[in-house]
Amino acid sequence: MQTIMRIADEASIALGAQYIKMGEVVAFPTETVYGLGANALNESAVRKIFEAKGRPADNPLIVHIAHERELEALVTNVQPCARRLMEAYWPGPMTLVMDRKPVVSDIVTAGLHTVGIRLPQSEIARALIEKSGCPIAAPSANRSGLPSPTRADRVLEDMDGRIPLIIDGGACQVGLESSVIDVTGECPIILRPGGITPEMVERVCGSVQIDEHVMKPLGEGDGVRSPGMKYKHYAPKAELVIYEGENGAVREAIIERFDRAEQGGQRVCIFSCEEQRYGDRRVYAWGSERHPELAAGALFEALRAMDDQGVQLILAQALDLQGIGLAVMNRMGRAAAFHIEHV
Ligand code: TXA
Ligand code: MG
C-alpha cells in the first residue's frame, strides 16, 4: 500500500473521512499526539489498526467523538464526577473510562466492560470525526513500543506502506497522550497522567486517586486497571537513566556518569532544562524549568531525535511530580524501565 501525506485542509480531511467510511485507517493530528483512526463501530476496520501498529489485542483503544451528544450512544451509568470533568475539560486532552454499551465491540475494548472516550480539542481531529459520521477509535500512531509521534514525519517513519493517508497538522501542542481517568466509581482514578493534571481533576471533583502503577513498574502477579500499563512503552533504542535529587547533586552525578561513559566509547546525551549547565557536553535542552509543559512537548521528539543521532545513553534530569510533571515522569520512567538514580 502506498502512504500519502497531505497538509491538513478541507480536501485532505474530506479524503480522510472517505477512507474512514470505507473501513480504512487514517493517521491524523490531535492536540496530544498523532492518532491512528478507524470507524470505531466497524470491527474489520478496527482490526486494521492493531495490524498497522503491531499492537497486542488485549490493549484497548480510545474512542474519539466530536460532540458530547455522541456519548450517550456509547456508554451508560455516567457518574456525576464524569459530567463535571466533561464540562470543565472537554474538548481537551482527557479520556474518560466509562461503562460501555454493547454497540462498542470487544475488539475496541479488548473485552473490557468499559470504554475510554475522548473529545479532542484539535479542530482537525473533530472535523475528521464529524465528516466521517462515526466515532473514531484511535491509539497513538506509533509502531507498538516506540515513542508516540508528535509530528507527521514521525508517523510516516512508522507507518509508511501500512496505511493510505497521513493528515499533517504540524507539531502537537501538548506532546504527551491524554490523561486516562477511570470515572466508573465515585472517586476518579488517574490511570495515565496527561495534560489534565490530578490537581485539575481534584479541583472539579473534590477528590482524586492516582493509580499506584503510574510511577512504579508492575510487580509479578500485580493486577492492572489499564492494560497499557503492562507493556513496554515509549522506549528509545538508547539506554535511559533518570537522576533525581537536588539540582547541584543531579548535575554532578550526571557529569560524572557522562564523562565515564564517553571515555568508555559510548555516545551520551543529557536531557535537561536549560538552566542546568553541562559545559560543552552534548545536551538536549527542553526549555526553562519554570515551564515543565515544554518538557512534555519535547520528550517524545527528543527520544526519537537522540536515536537518530546514534545516542546510546541518555542521562535525564527528573522533573518535579507536580502538575504536568507527573505525566512527563510517567513517560520518562517507563522509557527508562524505571531506572531512577536517587542522588
Ligand atoms: O492522547 C491520546 O490519548 C492519544 C490520541 C490519539 O487521542 N491516544 C492514545 O491511545 O494515546 P493509546 O491507545 O496509545 O493509549 C490508550 C491507553 C492505553 O494505555 C490503554 O490501555 C488505555 O488507554 N485504555 C483504553 N481503554 C481503556 C479502558 N477501557 N480501561 C482502562 N484503560 C484503557
Ligand atoms: Mg500509545
Side-chain angles (χ1 to χ4, degrees), residues 53-90:
K53 253 185 96 81
R55 183 180 179 107
D58 67 349
N59 198 1
L61 306 179
I62 293 171
V63 175
H64 299 69
I65 57 177
H67 304 279
E68 212 176 300
R69 59 172 186 269
E70 293 153 21
L71 184 70
E72 303 307 321
L74 304 169
V75 301
T76 177
N77 301 328
V78 180
Q79 300 292 311
C81 77
R83 294 269 177 223
R84 269 182 248 133
L85 286 170
M86 288 173 212
E87 193 171 318
Y89 303 124
W90 269 1

PDB file of all heavy atoms in Angstrom, residues 53-90:
ATOM      1  N   LYS A  53      -0.185  -1.177  13.704  1.00  0.00           N
ATOM      2  CA  LYS A  53       0.649  -0.806  14.850  1.00  0.00           C
ATOM      3  C   LYS A  53       1.483  -1.962  15.386  1.00  0.00           C
ATOM      4  O   LYS A  53       2.467  -1.756  16.086  1.00  0.00           O
ATOM      5  CB  LYS A  53      -0.289  -0.390  16.002  1.00  0.00           C
ATOM      6  CG  LYS A  53      -0.338   1.080  16.301  1.00  0.00           C
ATOM      7  CD  LYS A  53      -1.186   1.332  17.533  1.00  0.00           C
ATOM      8  CE  LYS A  53      -0.382   1.457  18.797  1.00  0.00           C
ATOM      9  NZ  LYS A  53       0.225   2.743  19.035  1.00  0.00           N
ATOM     10  N   GLY A  54       1.017  -3.196  15.109  1.00  0.00           N
ATOM     11  CA  GLY A  54       1.625  -4.344  15.768  1.00  0.00           C
ATOM     12  C   GLY A  54       1.262  -4.326  17.242  1.00  0.00           C
ATOM     13  O   GLY A  54       2.077  -4.616  18.108  1.00  0.00           O
ATOM     14  N   ARG A  55       0.023  -3.979  17.514  1.00  0.00           N
ATOM     15  CA  ARG A  55      -0.409  -3.822  18.912  1.00  0.00           C
ATOM     16  C   ARG A  55      -1.019  -5.113  19.438  1.00  0.00           C
ATOM     17  O   ARG A  55      -1.786  -5.763  18.746  1.00  0.00           O
ATOM     18  CB  ARG A  55      -1.449  -2.706  18.978  1.00  0.00           C
ATOM     19  CG  ARG A  55      -1.951  -2.370  20.394  1.00  0.00           C
ATOM     20  CD  ARG A  55      -2.961  -1.252  20.269  1.00  0.00           C
ATOM     21  NE  ARG A  55      -3.562  -0.798  21.482  1.00  0.00           N
ATOM     22  CZ  ARG A  55      -3.268   0.371  22.074  1.00  0.00           C
ATOM     23  NH1 ARG A  55      -2.323   1.124  21.598  1.00  0.00           N
ATOM     24  NH2 ARG A  55      -3.922   0.760  23.145  1.00  0.00           N
ATOM     25  N   PRO A  56      -0.684  -5.491  20.695  1.00  0.00           N
ATOM     26  CA  PRO A  56      -1.309  -6.677  21.290  1.00  0.00           C
ATOM     27  C   PRO A  56      -2.829  -6.490  21.376  1.00  0.00           C
ATOM     28  O   PRO A  56      -3.306  -5.402  21.690  1.00  0.00           O
ATOM     29  CB  PRO A  56      -0.705  -6.756  22.692  1.00  0.00           C
ATOM     30  CG  PRO A  56       0.387  -5.754  22.750  1.00  0.00           C
ATOM     31  CD  PRO A  56       0.225  -4.811  21.613  1.00  0.00           C
ATOM     32  N   ALA A  57      -3.579  -7.561  21.089  1.00  0.00           N
ATOM     33  CA  ALA A  57      -5.038  -7.472  21.015  1.00  0.00           C
ATOM     34  C   ALA A  57      -5.678  -7.197  22.373  1.00  0.00           C
ATOM     35  O   ALA A  57      -6.848  -6.834  22.448  1.00  0.00           O
ATOM     36  CB  ALA A  57      -5.601  -8.759  20.421  1.00  0.00           C
ATOM     37  N   ASP A  58      -4.926  -7.376  23.464  1.00  0.00           N
ATOM     38  CA  ASP A  58      -5.546  -7.157  24.777  1.00  0.00           C
ATOM     39  C   ASP A  58      -5.336  -5.737  25.306  1.00  0.00           C
ATOM     40  O   ASP A  58      -5.552  -5.469  26.476  1.00  0.00           O
ATOM     41  CB  ASP A  58      -5.043  -8.187  25.797  1.00  0.00           C
ATOM     42  CG  ASP A  58      -3.571  -8.009  26.123  1.00  0.00           C
ATOM     43  OD1 ASP A  58      -2.885  -7.236  25.416  1.00  0.00           O
ATOM     44  OD2 ASP A  58      -3.107  -8.633  27.090  1.00  0.00           O
ATOM     45  N   ASN A  59      -4.893  -4.820  24.430  1.00  0.00           N
ATOM     46  CA  ASN A  59      -4.743  -3.424  24.848  1.00  0.00           C
ATOM     47  C   ASN A  59      -5.821  -2.580  24.157  1.00  0.00           C
ATOM     48  O   ASN A  59      -5.778  -2.399  22.951  1.00  0.00           O
ATOM     49  CB  ASN A  59      -3.336  -2.926  24.492  1.00  0.00           C
ATOM     50  CG  ASN A  59      -2.965  -1.659  25.263  1.00  0.00           C
ATOM     51  OD1 ASN A  59      -3.747  -1.168  26.077  1.00  0.00           O
ATOM     52  ND2 ASN A  59      -1.785  -1.143  25.006  1.00  0.00           N
ATOM     53  N   PRO A  60      -6.809  -2.087  24.921  1.00  0.00           N
ATOM     54  CA  PRO A  60      -7.970  -1.423  24.315  1.00  0.00           C
ATOM     55  C   PRO A  60      -7.656  -0.079  23.689  1.00  0.00           C
ATOM     56  O   PRO A  60      -6.655   0.563  24.013  1.00  0.00           O
ATOM     57  CB  PRO A  60      -8.925  -1.245  25.496  1.00  0.00           C
ATOM     58  CG  PRO A  60      -8.049  -1.214  26.703  1.00  0.00           C
ATOM     59  CD  PRO A  60      -6.886  -2.110  26.389  1.00  0.00           C
ATOM     60  N   LEU A  61      -8.558   0.352  22.780  1.00  0.00           N
ATOM     61  CA  LEU A  61      -8.392   1.629  22.080  1.00  0.00           C
ATOM     62  C   LEU A  61      -9.307   2.694  22.684  1.00  0.00           C
ATOM     63  O   LEU A  61     -10.358   2.381  23.245  1.00  0.00           O
ATOM     64  CB  LEU A  61      -8.754   1.463  20.603  1.00  0.00           C
ATOM     65  CG  LEU A  61      -8.029   0.364  19.841  1.00  0.00           C
ATOM     66  CD1 LEU A  61      -8.523   0.327  18.395  1.00  0.00           C
ATOM     67  CD2 LEU A  61      -6.525   0.577  19.877  1.00  0.00           C
ATOM     68  N   ILE A  62      -8.910   3.944  22.511  1.00  0.00           N
ATOM     69  CA  ILE A  62      -9.746   5.074  22.922  1.00  0.00           C
ATOM     70  C   ILE A  62     -10.686   5.417  21.772  1.00  0.00           C
ATOM     71  O   ILE A  62     -10.277   5.413  20.606  1.00  0.00           O
ATOM     72  CB  ILE A  62      -8.848   6.282  23.267  1.00  0.00           C
ATOM     73  CG1 ILE A  62      -8.020   5.982  24.524  1.00  0.00           C
ATOM     74  CG2 ILE A  62      -9.686   7.545  23.456  1.00  0.00           C
ATOM     75  CD1 ILE A  62      -6.950   7.030  24.819  1.00  0.00           C
ATOM     76  N   VAL A  63     -11.940   5.729  22.088  1.00  0.00           N
ATOM     77  CA  VAL A  63     -12.912   6.128  21.065  1.00  0.00           C
ATOM     78  C   VAL A  63     -13.082   7.648  21.112  1.00  0.00           C
ATOM     79  O   VAL A  63     -13.345   8.217  22.172  1.00  0.00           O
ATOM     80  CB  VAL A  63     -14.263   5.413  21.290  1.00  0.00           C
ATOM     81  CG1 VAL A  63     -15.305   5.924  20.301  1.00  0.00           C
ATOM     82  CG2 VAL A  63     -14.081   3.900  21.148  1.00  0.00           C
ATOM     83  N   HIS A  64     -12.897   8.272  19.951  1.00  0.00           N
ATOM     84  CA  HIS A  64     -12.949   9.738  19.858  1.00  0.00           C
ATOM     85  C   HIS A  64     -14.278  10.200  19.279  1.00  0.00           C
ATOM     86  O   HIS A  64     -14.742   9.637  18.284  1.00  0.00           O
ATOM     87  CB  HIS A  64     -11.798  10.243  18.977  1.00  0.00           C
ATOM     88  CG  HIS A  64     -10.439   9.907  19.515  1.00  0.00           C
ATOM     89  ND1 HIS A  64      -9.959   8.618  19.543  1.00  0.00           N
ATOM     90  CD2 HIS A  64      -9.468  10.686  20.061  1.00  0.00           C
ATOM     91  CE1 HIS A  64      -8.741   8.622  20.088  1.00  0.00           C
ATOM     92  NE2 HIS A  64      -8.419   9.865  20.411  1.00  0.00           N
ATOM     93  N   ILE A  65     -14.848  11.223  19.893  1.00  0.00           N
ATOM     94  CA  ILE A  65     -16.104  11.794  19.403  1.00  0.00           C
ATOM     95  C   ILE A  65     -15.904  13.285  19.131  1.00  0.00           C
ATOM     96  O   ILE A  65     -14.922  13.877  19.601  1.00  0.00           O
ATOM     97  CB  ILE A  65     -17.258  11.574  20.411  1.00  0.00           C
ATOM     98  CG1 ILE A  65     -16.913  12.166  21.790  1.00  0.00           C
ATOM     99  CG2 ILE A  65     -17.572  10.088  20.548  1.00  0.00           C
ATOM    100  CD1 ILE A  65     -18.037  12.052  22.830  1.00  0.00           C
ATOM    101  N   ALA A  66     -16.855  13.870  18.360  1.00  0.00           N
ATOM    102  CA  ALA A  66     -16.718  15.281  18.003  1.00  0.00           C
ATOM    103  C   ALA A  66     -17.637  16.186  18.827  1.00  0.00           C
ATOM    104  O   ALA A  66     -17.427  17.395  18.894  1.00  0.00           O
ATOM    105  CB  ALA A  66     -16.994  15.477  16.511  1.00  0.00           C
ATOM    106  N   HIS A  67     -18.672  15.576  19.441  1.00  0.00           N
ATOM    107  CA  HIS A  67     -19.632  16.347  20.237  1.00  0.00           C
ATOM    108  C   HIS A  67     -20.036  15.510  21.440  1.00  0.00           C
ATOM    109  O   HIS A  67     -20.151  14.287  21.332  1.00  0.00           O
ATOM    110  CB  HIS A  67     -20.891  16.662  19.420  1.00  0.00           C
ATOM    111  CG  HIS A  67     -20.603  17.382  18.143  1.00  0.00           C
ATOM    112  ND1 HIS A  67     -20.378  18.733  18.082  1.00  0.00           N
ATOM    113  CD2 HIS A  67     -20.473  16.920  16.881  1.00  0.00           C
ATOM    114  CE1 HIS A  67     -20.131  19.086  16.835  1.00  0.00           C
ATOM    115  NE2 HIS A  67     -20.169  17.991  16.081  1.00  0.00           N
ATOM    116  N   GLU A  68     -20.318  16.196  22.531  1.00  0.00           N
ATOM    117  CA  GLU A  68     -20.689  15.476  23.745  1.00  0.00           C
ATOM    118  C   GLU A  68     -21.962  14.649  23.546  1.00  0.00           C
ATOM    119  O   GLU A  68     -22.117  13.590  24.154  1.00  0.00           O
ATOM    120  CB  GLU A  68     -20.861  16.476  24.894  1.00  0.00           C
ATOM    121  CG  GLU A  68     -20.472  15.875  26.225  1.00  0.00           C
ATOM    122  CD  GLU A  68     -20.553  16.892  27.352  1.00  0.00           C
ATOM    123  OE1 GLU A  68     -19.835  17.908  27.257  1.00  0.00           O
ATOM    124  OE2 GLU A  68     -21.342  16.676  28.277  1.00  0.00           O
ATOM    125  N   ARG A  69     -22.839  15.107  22.663  1.00  0.00           N
ATOM    126  CA  ARG A  69     -24.104  14.376  22.468  1.00  0.00           C
ATOM    127  C   ARG A  69     -23.896  12.968  21.892  1.00  0.00           C
ATOM    128  O   ARG A  69     -24.777  12.118  21.983  1.00  0.00           O
ATOM    129  CB  ARG A  69     -25.052  15.183  21.563  1.00  0.00           C
ATOM    130  CG  ARG A  69     -24.489  15.473  20.194  1.00  0.00           C
ATOM    131  CD  ARG A  69     -25.517  16.099  19.248  1.00  0.00           C
ATOM    132  NE  ARG A  69     -24.988  16.240  17.922  1.00  0.00           N
ATOM    133  CZ  ARG A  69     -24.348  17.327  17.457  1.00  0.00           C
ATOM    134  NH1 ARG A  69     -24.187  18.376  18.240  1.00  0.00           N
ATOM    135  NH2 ARG A  69     -23.875  17.358  16.231  1.00  0.00           N
ATOM    136  N   GLU A  70     -22.713  12.724  21.316  1.00  0.00           N
ATOM    137  CA  GLU A  70     -22.434  11.399  20.746  1.00  0.00           C
ATOM    138  C   GLU A  70     -22.088  10.366  21.816  1.00  0.00           C
ATOM    139  O   GLU A  70     -21.981   9.173  21.554  1.00  0.00           O
ATOM    140  CB  GLU A  70     -21.280  11.500  19.732  1.00  0.00           C
ATOM    141  CG  GLU A  70     -21.668  12.307  18.504  1.00  0.00           C
ATOM    142  CD  GLU A  70     -20.490  12.978  17.814  1.00  0.00           C
ATOM    143  OE1 GLU A  70     -19.336  12.549  18.009  1.00  0.00           O
ATOM    144  OE2 GLU A  70     -20.727  13.957  17.076  1.00  0.00           O
ATOM    145  N   LEU A  71     -21.939  10.848  23.048  1.00  0.00           N
ATOM    146  CA  LEU A  71     -21.530   9.981  24.157  1.00  0.00           C
ATOM    147  C   LEU A  71     -22.594   8.947  24.507  1.00  0.00           C
ATOM    148  O   LEU A  71     -22.290   7.773  24.749  1.00  0.00           O
ATOM    149  CB  LEU A  71     -21.251  10.881  25.368  1.00  0.00           C
ATOM    150  CG  LEU A  71     -20.725  10.215  26.624  1.00  0.00           C
ATOM    151  CD1 LEU A  71     -19.301   9.741  26.371  1.00  0.00           C
ATOM    152  CD2 LEU A  71     -20.753  11.199  27.784  1.00  0.00           C
ATOM    153  N   GLU A  72     -23.848   9.389  24.554  1.00  0.00           N
ATOM    154  CA  GLU A  72     -24.931   8.555  25.090  1.00  0.00           C
ATOM    155  C   GLU A  72     -25.080   7.228  24.347  1.00  0.00           C
ATOM    156  O   GLU A  72     -25.472   6.231  24.924  1.00  0.00           O
ATOM    157  CB  GLU A  72     -26.270   9.316  25.050  1.00  0.00           C
ATOM    158  CG  GLU A  72     -26.249  10.649  25.805  1.00  0.00           C
ATOM    159  CD  GLU A  72     -25.760  10.528  27.254  1.00  0.00           C
ATOM    160  OE1 GLU A  72     -26.116   9.531  27.928  1.00  0.00           O
ATOM    161  OE2 GLU A  72     -25.010  11.427  27.688  1.00  0.00           O
ATOM    162  N   ALA A  73     -24.764   7.234  23.053  1.00  0.00           N
ATOM    163  CA  ALA A  73     -24.892   6.003  22.268  1.00  0.00           C
ATOM    164  C   ALA A  73     -23.844   4.968  22.663  1.00  0.00           C
ATOM    165  O   ALA A  73     -24.015   3.775  22.407  1.00  0.00           O
ATOM    166  CB  ALA A  73     -24.748   6.322  20.775  1.00  0.00           C
ATOM    167  N   LEU A  74     -22.764   5.418  23.313  1.00  0.00           N
ATOM    168  CA  LEU A  74     -21.619   4.535  23.536  1.00  0.00           C
ATOM    169  C   LEU A  74     -21.491   4.024  24.970  1.00  0.00           C
ATOM    170  O   LEU A  74     -20.949   2.947  25.196  1.00  0.00           O
ATOM    171  CB  LEU A  74     -20.318   5.277  23.167  1.00  0.00           C
ATOM    172  CG  LEU A  74     -20.244   5.836  21.742  1.00  0.00           C
ATOM    173  CD1 LEU A  74     -19.050   6.763  21.588  1.00  0.00           C
ATOM    174  CD2 LEU A  74     -20.154   4.688  20.730  1.00  0.00           C
ATOM    175  N   VAL A  75     -21.946   4.822  25.947  1.00  0.00           N
ATOM    176  CA  VAL A  75     -21.714   4.459  27.355  1.00  0.00           C
ATOM    177  C   VAL A  75     -22.979   4.553  28.186  1.00  0.00           C
ATOM    178  O   VAL A  75     -23.980   5.148  27.785  1.00  0.00           O
ATOM    179  CB  VAL A  75     -20.629   5.362  27.997  1.00  0.00           C
ATOM    180  CG1 VAL A  75     -19.318   5.243  27.256  1.00  0.00           C
ATOM    181  CG2 VAL A  75     -21.089   6.815  28.049  1.00  0.00           C
ATOM    182  N   THR A  76     -22.894   3.987  29.388  1.00  0.00           N
ATOM    183  CA  THR A  76     -24.028   4.012  30.303  1.00  0.00           C
ATOM    184  C   THR A  76     -23.514   4.285  31.726  1.00  0.00           C
ATOM    185  O   THR A  76     -22.296   4.275  31.947  1.00  0.00           O
ATOM    186  CB  THR A  76     -24.798   2.667  30.195  1.00  0.00           C
ATOM    187  OG1 THR A  76     -25.848   2.689  31.141  1.00  0.00           O
ATOM    188  CG2 THR A  76     -23.916   1.470  30.450  1.00  0.00           C
ATOM    189  N   ASN A  77     -24.417   4.525  32.666  1.00  0.00           N
ATOM    190  CA  ASN A  77     -24.051   4.823  34.072  1.00  0.00           C
ATOM    191  C   ASN A  77     -23.079   5.991  34.200  1.00  0.00           C
ATOM    192  O   ASN A  77     -22.109   5.897  34.971  1.00  0.00           O
ATOM    193  CB  ASN A  77     -23.377   3.619  34.753  1.00  0.00           C
ATOM    194  CG  ASN A  77     -24.252   2.390  34.771  1.00  0.00           C
ATOM    195  OD1 ASN A  77     -25.469   2.519  34.842  1.00  0.00           O
ATOM    196  ND2 ASN A  77     -23.641   1.231  34.675  1.00  0.00           N
ATOM    197  N   VAL A  78     -23.292   7.070  33.488  1.00  0.00           N
ATOM    198  CA  VAL A  78     -22.361   8.204  33.576  1.00  0.00           C
ATOM    199  C   VAL A  78     -22.482   8.865  34.958  1.00  0.00           C
ATOM    200  O   VAL A  78     -23.569   9.286  35.357  1.00  0.00           O
ATOM    201  CB  VAL A  78     -22.629   9.238  32.464  1.00  0.00           C
ATOM    202  CG1 VAL A  78     -21.649  10.397  32.565  1.00  0.00           C
ATOM    203  CG2 VAL A  78     -22.517   8.567  31.100  1.00  0.00           C
ATOM    204  N   GLN A  79     -21.382   8.894  35.684  1.00  0.00           N
ATOM    205  CA  GLN A  79     -21.361   9.388  37.067  1.00  0.00           C
ATOM    206  C   GLN A  79     -21.313  10.924  37.106  1.00  0.00           C
ATOM    207  O   GLN A  79     -20.805  11.549  36.166  1.00  0.00           O
ATOM    208  CB  GLN A  79     -20.121   8.841  37.786  1.00  0.00           C
ATOM    209  CG  GLN A  79     -20.049   7.329  37.849  1.00  0.00           C
ATOM    210  CD  GLN A  79     -21.135   6.754  38.737  1.00  0.00           C
ATOM    211  OE1 GLN A  79     -21.331   7.192  39.859  1.00  0.00           O
ATOM    212  NE2 GLN A  79     -21.866   5.773  38.210  1.00  0.00           N
ATOM    213  N   PRO A  80     -21.781  11.509  38.222  1.00  0.00           N
ATOM    214  CA  PRO A  80     -21.732  12.968  38.353  1.00  0.00           C
ATOM    215  C   PRO A  80     -20.311  13.534  38.178  1.00  0.00           C
ATOM    216  O   PRO A  80     -20.129  14.573  37.535  1.00  0.00           O
ATOM    217  CB  PRO A  80     -22.233  13.226  39.785  1.00  0.00           C
ATOM    218  CG  PRO A  80     -23.041  12.024  40.134  1.00  0.00           C
ATOM    219  CD  PRO A  80     -22.473  10.875  39.374  1.00  0.00           C
ATOM    220  N   CYS A  81     -19.305  12.853  38.695  1.00  0.00           N
ATOM    221  CA  CYS A  81     -17.941  13.402  38.562  1.00  0.00           C
ATOM    222  C   CYS A  81     -17.506  13.383  37.091  1.00  0.00           C
ATOM    223  O   CYS A  81     -16.779  14.266  36.630  1.00  0.00           O
ATOM    224  CB  CYS A  81     -16.944  12.687  39.466  1.00  0.00           C
ATOM    225  SG  CYS A  81     -16.422  11.089  38.888  1.00  0.00           S
ATOM    226  N   ALA A  82     -17.989  12.401  36.329  1.00  0.00           N
ATOM    227  CA  ALA A  82     -17.671  12.356  34.898  1.00  0.00           C
ATOM    228  C   ALA A  82     -18.277  13.568  34.201  1.00  0.00           C
ATOM    229  O   ALA A  82     -17.623  14.230  33.380  1.00  0.00           O
ATOM    230  CB  ALA A  82     -18.191  11.067  34.281  1.00  0.00           C
ATOM    231  N   ARG A  83     -19.511  13.876  34.543  1.00  0.00           N
ATOM    232  CA  ARG A  83     -20.175  15.052  33.953  1.00  0.00           C
ATOM    233  C   ARG A  83     -19.389  16.323  34.245  1.00  0.00           C
ATOM    234  O   ARG A  83     -19.206  17.170  33.383  1.00  0.00           O
ATOM    235  CB  ARG A  83     -21.593  15.205  34.528  1.00  0.00           C
ATOM    236  CG  ARG A  83     -22.519  14.090  34.157  1.00  0.00           C
ATOM    237  CD  ARG A  83     -23.279  14.379  32.863  1.00  0.00           C
ATOM    238  NE  ARG A  83     -24.101  13.235  32.504  1.00  0.00           N
ATOM    239  CZ  ARG A  83     -24.216  12.746  31.281  1.00  0.00           C
ATOM    240  NH1 ARG A  83     -23.569  13.297  30.280  1.00  0.00           N
ATOM    241  NH2 ARG A  83     -24.988  11.704  31.053  1.00  0.00           N
ATOM    242  N   ARG A  84     -18.950  16.440  35.500  1.00  0.00           N
ATOM    243  CA  ARG A  84     -18.217  17.659  35.874  1.00  0.00           C
ATOM    244  C   ARG A  84     -16.899  17.763  35.120  1.00  0.00           C
ATOM    245  O   ARG A  84     -16.495  18.845  34.693  1.00  0.00           O
ATOM    246  CB  ARG A  84     -17.959  17.674  37.391  1.00  0.00           C
ATOM    247  CG  ARG A  84     -19.084  18.387  38.129  1.00  0.00           C
ATOM    248  CD  ARG A  84     -18.809  18.434  39.607  1.00  0.00           C
ATOM    249  NE  ARG A  84     -19.780  17.572  40.258  1.00  0.00           N
ATOM    250  CZ  ARG A  84     -19.532  16.671  41.177  1.00  0.00           C
ATOM    251  NH1 ARG A  84     -18.315  16.490  41.635  1.00  0.00           N
ATOM    252  NH2 ARG A  84     -20.486  15.935  41.681  1.00  0.00           N
ATOM    253  N   LEU A  85     -16.233  16.634  34.955  1.00  0.00           N
ATOM    254  CA  LEU A  85     -14.960  16.653  34.218  1.00  0.00           C
ATOM    255  C   LEU A  85     -15.171  17.033  32.751  1.00  0.00           C
ATOM    256  O   LEU A  85     -14.417  17.824  32.184  1.00  0.00           O
ATOM    257  CB  LEU A  85     -14.263  15.301  34.327  1.00  0.00           C
ATOM    258  CG  LEU A  85     -13.630  15.003  35.695  1.00  0.00           C
ATOM    259  CD1 LEU A  85     -13.182  13.550  35.781  1.00  0.00           C
ATOM    260  CD2 LEU A  85     -12.451  15.942  35.966  1.00  0.00           C
ATOM    261  N   MET A  86     -16.225  16.490  32.161  1.00  0.00           N
ATOM    262  CA  MET A  86     -16.511  16.821  30.748  1.00  0.00           C
ATOM    263  C   MET A  86     -16.773  18.311  30.597  1.00  0.00           C
ATOM    264  O   MET A  86     -16.268  18.942  29.667  1.00  0.00           O
ATOM    265  CB  MET A  86     -17.773  16.095  30.275  1.00  0.00           C
ATOM    266  CG  MET A  86     -17.599  14.624  30.082  1.00  0.00           C
ATOM    267  SD  MET A  86     -19.240  13.930  29.715  1.00  0.00           S
ATOM    268  CE  MET A  86     -19.037  12.326  30.449  1.00  0.00           C
ATOM    269  N   GLU A  87     -17.555  18.824  31.519  1.00  0.00           N
ATOM    270  CA  GLU A  87     -17.904  20.236  31.428  1.00  0.00           C
ATOM    271  C   GLU A  87     -16.661  21.106  31.553  1.00  0.00           C
ATOM    272  O   GLU A  87     -16.504  22.093  30.839  1.00  0.00           O
ATOM    273  CB  GLU A  87     -18.897  20.578  32.538  1.00  0.00           C
ATOM    274  CG  GLU A  87     -19.554  21.908  32.332  1.00  0.00           C
ATOM    275  CD  GLU A  87     -20.694  22.097  33.330  1.00  0.00           C
ATOM    276  OE1 GLU A  87     -21.441  21.115  33.556  1.00  0.00           O
ATOM    277  OE2 GLU A  87     -20.787  23.190  33.880  1.00  0.00           O
ATOM    278  N   ALA A  88     -15.760  20.697  32.435  1.00  0.00           N
ATOM    279  CA  ALA A  88     -14.571  21.521  32.684  1.00  0.00           C
ATOM    280  C   ALA A  88     -13.496  21.339  31.601  1.00  0.00           C
ATOM    281  O   ALA A  88     -12.845  22.304  31.206  1.00  0.00           O
ATOM    282  CB  ALA A  88     -13.997  21.186  34.060  1.00  0.00           C
ATOM    283  N   TYR A  89     -13.298  20.109  31.130  1.00  0.00           N
ATOM    284  CA  TYR A  89     -12.071  19.846  30.341  1.00  0.00           C
ATOM    285  C   TYR A  89     -12.284  19.256  28.954  1.00  0.00           C
ATOM    286  O   TYR A  89     -11.311  18.910  28.271  1.00  0.00           O
ATOM    287  CB  TYR A  89     -11.123  18.964  31.153  1.00  0.00           C
ATOM    288  CG  TYR A  89     -10.773  19.570  32.486  1.00  0.00           C
ATOM    289  CD1 TYR A  89     -10.993  18.864  33.670  1.00  0.00           C
ATOM    290  CD2 TYR A  89     -10.230  20.850  32.574  1.00  0.00           C
ATOM    291  CE1 TYR A  89     -10.675  19.415  34.900  1.00  0.00           C
ATOM    292  CE2 TYR A  89      -9.912  21.421  33.803  1.00  0.00           C
ATOM    293  CZ  TYR A  89     -10.139  20.699  34.962  1.00  0.00           C
ATOM    294  OH  TYR A  89      -9.832  21.249  36.184  1.00  0.00           O
ATOM    295  N   TRP A  90     -13.512  19.099  28.505  1.00  0.00           N
ATOM    296  CA  TRP A  90     -13.751  18.703  27.117  1.00  0.00           C
ATOM    297  C   TRP A  90     -14.193  19.914  26.343  1.00  0.00           C
ATOM    298  O   TRP A  90     -14.975  20.704  26.875  1.00  0.00           O
ATOM    299  CB  TRP A  90     -14.847  17.620  27.040  1.00  0.00           C
ATOM    300  CG  TRP A  90     -14.334  16.221  27.102  1.00  0.00           C
ATOM    301  CD1 TRP A  90     -13.032  15.817  27.239  1.00  0.00           C
ATOM    302  CD2 TRP A  90     -15.129  15.022  27.037  1.00  0.00           C
ATOM    303  NE1 TRP A  90     -12.972  14.438  27.265  1.00  0.00           N
ATOM    304  CE2 TRP A  90     -14.240  13.923  27.139  1.00  0.00           C
ATOM    305  CE3 TRP A  90     -16.492  14.771  26.891  1.00  0.00           C
ATOM    306  CZ2 TRP A  90     -14.680  12.600  27.100  1.00  0.00           C
ATOM    307  CZ3 TRP A  90     -16.931  13.458  26.857  1.00  0.00           C
ATOM    308  CH2 TRP A  90     -16.034  12.378  26.953  1.00  0.00           C
TER     309      TRP A  90
END
